[in-house]
Amino acid sequence: YTAGTLGAGLVHTLWFVFGLVVFHQVIVRWLLLVQRRLALQAVRERIRAAREEKEPVDSEMAGLPAQEDDHEIDLVAMSEESRKLLNMALVIAGIIGFWLIWSDVLPAFNILNEVTLWHHTVVVDGEKTLAPATLADVGLAILIAVATLVAMKRFPALLEILLLQRVRMTSGSRYTITTLTTYAIVGAGLIAFFNIVGADWSKVQWLFAALSVGIGFGLQEIVANFISGIIILFERPIRVGDVVTIGDTDGVVTRIQIRATTIRTWDRQELLVPNKEFITGRLLNWSLSDQTTRIKVPVGVAYGSDVETAMRLMDEAAAANTNVLAEPAPSILFDAFGDNALNLVLRCFVDSQDVRMTTLTQLHQAINKSFNEAGLSISFPQRD
């Protein structure tokens, strides 16, 4: 009977190991195929964008994250994180599987259920009773804590791969889903951990009382930033990849974390802004619902110049630029009689933040060249 029981356990173990190996290889193969497919899709999109002359050419925005729909994705890092999650999941599944297979053969481990560390109160059929917290419960709680930490770090990458593969959504939406999923994993892990170790409300209410006092004295800003971060993820006044202006700083949103949001400026400096600033303060989002923005090119010509010719040349410069939109149409205004010049203003629109600065430079060059050829003088203040 003993030989038969051990043999059955060995056969079940071999089949279990075989299943884990096959499952591992299937998932690794799937991750490799998904990585190649997404990489090929990204290359095709870049080639199509290059053919349509929509690649970012702005020198000030070079090297920065693209707009939200074109946010660069590190497929290699995501696949590596997914493989680490897979390996840890297989280790945990292997421990649980071996325990289920050999628990009847190794009854000595049942002594872990007999070592009582403390008692906690549970409600059974409406009545409170004392339940023991054993050494086995502590081991299970530690296992849950480890699994929660691993899932918190590794699962968002796998989830983003699944979203890229199955659902067509923007990078900001994917970031929101993965962040909220991380919060849910941490919350579920904490609840399971405290339930196993028997931490009921009567034992932890002093902790919440201490936290409330701490919040009242010094943690209110941290809590406000955390709540503001959750509001940002749901309401989405800003998203990863948006071009924003906060205070005197312009830049691109690169990361939304629990306490603060990271903005990378045009000088590639990273500014950490508390999340509360985006909810309670004023925020200028250049790309929230529409990428189209207006460009203003003020030009001052000398008194006595032919204003009609100057306005026509400015209109021709705008019409010749491929980045300037035909609708809304460019407009040239005779703005005012200045102290030293007749002030003209060219107003036109571009469809992307990526070409804003480049279009300004091109318009300045074209207007300056056409004015020089026409003999028009751009006025400037003179002092003796």
Side-chain angles (χ1 to χ4, degrees):
Y1 176 79
T2 302
T5 302
L6 294 176
L10 180 61
V11 171
H12 293 160
T13 301
L14 292 176
W15 277 110
F16 180 68
V17 172
F18 176 76
L20 289 180
V21 172
V22 172
F23 177 76
H24 177 269
Q25 293 301 314
V26 168
I27 298 300
V28 169
R29 176 66 176 172
W30 175 78
L31 288 174
L32 180 61
L33 292 178
V34 169
Q35 178 183 350
R36 291 178 177 176
R37 186 180 301 113
L38 294 176
L40 179 61
Q41 180 180 353
V43 171
R44 289 175 175 173
E45 290 179 355
R46 285 197 294 268
I47 293 176
R48 183 171 61 252
R51 290 177 178 175
E52 295 175 356
E53 297 182 355
K54 291 184 179 180
E55 286 284 17
V57 294
D58 197 333
S59 58
E60 288 208 18
M61 305 186 95
L64 288 173
Q67 298 302 325
E68 181 188 14
D69 294 338
D70 300 320
H71 184 60
E72 189 68 23
I73 301 172
D74 192 348
L75 297 176
V76 177
M78 290 169 54
S79 299
E80 187 65 24
E81 293 294 326
S82 301
R83 292 185 183 183
K84 291 180 180 179
L85 174 64
L86 174 63
N87 294 335
M88 182 57 66
L90 290 179
V91 170
I92 296 176
I95 293 175
I96 297 175
F98 288 148
W99 173 258
L100 295 176
I101 292 174
W102 295 100
S103 59
D104 295 336
V105 182
L106 302 174
F109 285 105
N110 291 329
I111 195 175
L112 298 177
N113 293 320
E114 300 175 1
V115 179
T116 302
L117 300 178
W118 63 82
H119 290 81
H120 59 93
T121 304
V122 295
V123 178
V124 179
D125 296 332
E127 296 182 357
K128 293 184 177 181
T129 59
L130 291 177
T134 63
L135 194 58
D137 294 333
V138 174
L140 181 59
I142 294 175
L143 184 63
I144 290 177
V146 173
T148 301
L149 290 176
V150 173
M152 179 184 66
K153 294 181 179 180
R154 313 298 185 192
F155 184 75
L158 178 61
L159 179 61
E160 189 162 0
I161 289 180
L162 294 175
L163 294 176
L164 283 171
Q165 179 72 8
R166 299 297 179 183
V167 182
R168 186 173 184 84
M169 60 175 56
T170 60
S171 62
S173 300
R174 293 195 303 270
Y175 186 85
T176 301
I177 292 175
T178 54
T179 303
L180 294 177
T181 302
T182 303
Y183 293 165
I185 291 174
V186 174
L190 290 176
I191 292 174
F193 179 84
F194 285 117
N195 282 337
I196 291 177
V197 299
D200 54 6
W201 172 251
S202 62
K203 292 183 175 64
V204 298
Q205 59 183 354
W206 62 270
L207 178 61
F208 286 94
L211 285 177
S212 63
V213 175
I215 291 172
F217 280 101
L219 299 180
Q220 67 269 22
E221 291 297 328
I222 297 178
V223 175
N225 289 324
F226 174 74
I227 300 300
S228 299
I230 296 178
I231 294 175
I232 289 174
L233 292 175
F234 276 103
E235 187 178 333
R236 301 182 68 195
I238 58 172
R239 301 156 299 186
V240 175
D242 279 351
V243 179
V244 298
T245 298
I246 178 128
D248 298 330
T249 303
D250 299 334
V252 177
V253 178
T254 58
R255 192 181 300 110
I256 303 175
Q257 295 179 317
I258 294 177
R259 188 192 66 84
T261 296
T262 303
I263 297 177
R264 182 177 296 173
T265 66
W266 307 139
D267 297 327
R268 299 192 65 83
Q269 298 172 336
E270 292 187 332
L271 175 67
L272 296 179
V273 182
N275 292 327
K276 182 181 176 181
E277 297 293 331
F278 296 102
I279 303 300
T280 60
R282 292 188 176 185
L283 168 70
L284 177 61
N285 193 331
W286 293 74
S287 53
L288 179 60
S289 59
D290 190 0
Q291 296 286 336
T292 302
T293 57
R294 189 177 70 174
I295 294 177
K296 295 175 63 177
V297 182
V299 180
V301 296
Y303 275 90
S305 301
D306 189 347
V307 175
E308 289 77 9
T309 301
M311 296 176 66
R312 177 177 56 81
L313 293 176
M314 294 171 66
D315 185 63
E316 291 175 355
N321 194 295
T322 57
N323 295 326
V324 175
L325 297 179
E327 184 63 34
S331 61
I332 296 90
L333 303 180
F334 192 158
D335 188 54
F337 294 94
D339 294 337
N340 303 282
L342 303 174
N343 297 327
L344 309 178
V345 179
L346 166 63
R347 298 179 179 180
C348 57
F349 292 84
V350 294
D351 61 355
S352 174
Q353 288 289 326
D354 295 336
V355 298
R356 180 180 176 86
M357 300 304 297
T358 301
T359 305
L360 273 174
T361 301
Q362 294 173 352
L363 290 175
H364 287 154
Q365 291 175 341
I367 292 174
N368 182 64
K369 181 179 179 180
S370 59
F371 275 26
N372 289 335
E373 293 176 351
L376 295 174
S377 175
I378 298 179
S379 182
F380 56 90
Q382 298 184 18
R383 298 289 185 268
D384 293 335

mmCIF file of all heavy atoms in Angstrom, residues 16 48 51 83 91 202-203 210 219 243 268 293 383-384:
data_model
loop_
_atom_site.group_PDB
_atom_site.id
_atom_site.type_symbol
_atom_site.label_atom_id
_atom_site.label_comp_id
_atom_site.label_asym_id
_atom_site.label_seq_id
_atom_site.Cartn_x
_atom_site.Cartn_y
_atom_site.Cartn_z
ATOM 1 N N PHE A 16 2.210 16.692 -13.129
ATOM 2 C CA PHE A 16 2.089 18.092 -12.732
ATOM 3 C C PHE A 16 3.267 18.908 -13.256
ATOM 4 O O PHE A 16 3.089 20.013 -13.788
ATOM 5 C CB PHE A 16 2.012 18.170 -11.201
ATOM 6 C CG PHE A 16 1.882 19.573 -10.676
ATOM 7 C CD1 PHE A 16 0.736 20.316 -10.885
ATOM 8 C CD2 PHE A 16 2.927 20.159 -9.963
ATOM 9 C CE1 PHE A 16 0.619 21.612 -10.407
ATOM 10 C CE2 PHE A 16 2.815 21.441 -9.482
ATOM 11 C CZ PHE A 16 1.661 22.168 -9.702
ATOM 12 N N ARG A 48 4.289 54.395 -42.290
ATOM 13 C CA ARG A 48 3.145 55.103 -42.852
ATOM 14 C C ARG A 48 3.160 56.577 -42.459
ATOM 15 O O ARG A 48 2.863 57.459 -43.272
ATOM 16 C CB ARG A 48 1.848 54.445 -42.378
ATOM 17 C CG ARG A 48 0.599 55.083 -42.993
ATOM 18 C CD ARG A 48 -0.657 54.302 -42.692
ATOM 19 N NE ARG A 48 -0.912 54.224 -41.268
ATOM 20 C CZ ARG A 48 -0.766 53.141 -40.529
ATOM 21 N NH1 ARG A 48 -0.322 52.023 -41.082
ATOM 22 N NH2 ARG A 48 -1.030 53.147 -39.244
ATOM 23 N N ARG A 51 5.739 58.348 -44.543
ATOM 24 C CA ARG A 51 5.267 58.601 -45.911
ATOM 25 C C ARG A 51 4.290 59.758 -45.962
ATOM 26 O O ARG A 51 4.235 60.503 -46.941
ATOM 27 C CB ARG A 51 4.613 57.337 -46.467
ATOM 28 C CG ARG A 51 5.604 56.207 -46.744
ATOM 29 C CD ARG A 51 4.886 54.957 -47.220
ATOM 30 N NE ARG A 51 5.831 53.887 -47.535
ATOM 31 C CZ ARG A 51 5.468 52.639 -47.878
ATOM 32 N NH1 ARG A 51 4.174 52.336 -47.948
ATOM 33 N NH2 ARG A 51 6.377 51.739 -48.145
ATOM 34 N N ARG A 83 7.511 37.742 -18.177
ATOM 35 C CA ARG A 83 8.175 36.461 -17.943
ATOM 36 C C ARG A 83 8.548 36.288 -16.477
ATOM 37 O O ARG A 83 8.447 35.169 -15.936
ATOM 38 C CB ARG A 83 9.420 36.358 -18.830
ATOM 39 C CG ARG A 83 9.100 36.261 -20.320
ATOM 40 C CD ARG A 83 10.357 36.031 -21.146
ATOM 41 N NE ARG A 83 10.040 36.018 -22.574
ATOM 42 C CZ ARG A 83 10.929 35.773 -23.530
ATOM 43 N NH1 ARG A 83 12.186 35.526 -23.197
ATOM 44 N NH2 ARG A 83 10.565 35.772 -24.790
ATOM 45 N N VAL A 91 6.317 29.138 -9.737
ATOM 46 C CA VAL A 91 6.916 28.703 -8.469
ATOM 47 C C VAL A 91 5.843 28.556 -7.397
ATOM 48 O O VAL A 91 5.788 27.541 -6.675
ATOM 49 C CB VAL A 91 8.005 29.703 -8.029
ATOM 50 C CG1 VAL A 91 8.449 29.406 -6.603
ATOM 51 C CG2 VAL A 91 9.193 29.644 -8.968
ATOM 52 N N SER A 202 -11.326 45.502 16.014
ATOM 53 C CA SER A 202 -11.019 45.836 17.404
ATOM 54 C C SER A 202 -9.525 45.894 17.660
ATOM 55 O O SER A 202 -9.071 46.565 18.581
ATOM 56 C CB SER A 202 -11.670 44.809 18.337
ATOM 57 O OG SER A 202 -11.150 43.503 18.093
ATOM 58 N N LYS A 203 -8.734 45.187 16.816
ATOM 59 C CA LYS A 203 -7.281 45.159 17.029
ATOM 60 C C LYS A 203 -6.558 46.251 16.252
ATOM 61 O O LYS A 203 -5.432 46.604 16.597
ATOM 62 C CB LYS A 203 -6.714 43.798 16.631
ATOM 63 C CG LYS A 203 -7.148 42.655 17.552
ATOM 64 C CD LYS A 203 -6.491 41.377 17.138
ATOM 65 C CE LYS A 203 -6.798 40.242 18.111
ATOM 66 N NZ LYS A 203 -8.229 39.920 18.126
ATOM 67 N N ALA A 210 -4.610 56.504 15.204
ATOM 68 C CA ALA A 210 -3.314 57.176 15.088
ATOM 69 C C ALA A 210 -3.147 57.824 13.725
ATOM 70 O O ALA A 210 -2.615 58.943 13.600
ATOM 71 C CB ALA A 210 -2.189 56.175 15.347
ATOM 72 N N LEU A 219 -0.216 64.730 7.672
ATOM 73 C CA LEU A 219 -0.344 63.854 6.507
ATOM 74 C C LEU A 219 -1.480 64.260 5.589
ATOM 75 O O LEU A 219 -1.786 63.530 4.648
ATOM 76 C CB LEU A 219 -0.559 62.397 6.969
ATOM 77 C CG LEU A 219 0.560 61.780 7.804
ATOM 78 C CD1 LEU A 219 0.200 60.348 8.175
ATOM 79 C CD2 LEU A 219 1.869 61.815 7.044
ATOM 80 N N VAL A 243 0.714 67.428 -23.575
ATOM 81 C CA VAL A 243 1.549 68.629 -23.445
ATOM 82 C C VAL A 243 0.796 69.610 -22.560
ATOM 83 O O VAL A 243 -0.327 70.015 -22.880
ATOM 84 C CB VAL A 243 1.848 69.247 -24.815
ATOM 85 C CG1 VAL A 243 2.698 70.504 -24.661
ATOM 86 C CG2 VAL A 243 2.551 68.247 -25.711
ATOM 87 N N ARG A 268 14.534 68.566 -21.122
ATOM 88 C CA ARG A 268 14.668 67.194 -20.607
ATOM 89 C C ARG A 268 14.927 67.193 -19.104
ATOM 90 O O ARG A 268 15.602 66.305 -18.572
ATOM 91 C CB ARG A 268 15.773 66.431 -21.341
ATOM 92 C CG ARG A 268 15.527 66.287 -22.840
ATOM 93 C CD ARG A 268 16.467 65.298 -23.477
ATOM 94 N NE ARG A 268 16.240 63.946 -22.967
ATOM 95 C CZ ARG A 268 15.302 63.127 -23.412
ATOM 96 N NH1 ARG A 268 14.466 63.524 -24.351
ATOM 97 N NH2 ARG A 268 15.190 61.916 -22.922
ATOM 98 N N THR A 293 -3.765 73.732 -32.609
ATOM 99 C CA THR A 293 -3.469 74.962 -31.872
ATOM 100 C C THR A 293 -3.182 76.093 -32.849
ATOM 101 O O THR A 293 -2.831 75.851 -34.018
ATOM 102 C CB THR A 293 -2.255 74.782 -30.941
ATOM 103 O OG1 THR A 293 -1.125 74.373 -31.716
ATOM 104 C CG2 THR A 293 -2.530 73.753 -29.872
ATOM 105 N N ARG A 383 17.365 104.523 -31.328
ATOM 106 C CA ARG A 383 17.690 105.484 -30.282
ATOM 107 C C ARG A 383 19.027 106.153 -30.623
ATOM 108 O O ARG A 383 19.945 105.497 -31.123
ATOM 109 C CB ARG A 383 17.787 104.783 -28.920
ATOM 110 C CG ARG A 383 16.501 104.122 -28.457
ATOM 111 C CD ARG A 383 15.449 105.161 -28.049
ATOM 112 N NE ARG A 383 14.265 104.511 -27.499
ATOM 113 C CZ ARG A 383 13.212 104.171 -28.221
ATOM 114 N NH1 ARG A 383 13.201 104.413 -29.540
ATOM 115 N NH2 ARG A 383 12.175 103.616 -27.648
ATOM 116 N N ASP A 384 19.116 107.432 -30.374
ATOM 117 C CA ASP A 384 20.388 108.183 -30.551
ATOM 118 C C ASP A 384 20.992 108.453 -29.174
ATOM 119 O O ASP A 384 20.260 108.825 -28.249
ATOM 120 C CB ASP A 384 20.145 109.497 -31.281
ATOM 121 C CG ASP A 384 19.696 109.253 -32.725
ATOM 122 O OD1 ASP A 384 20.044 108.177 -33.243
ATOM 123 O OD2 ASP A 384 18.985 110.100 -33.261
#
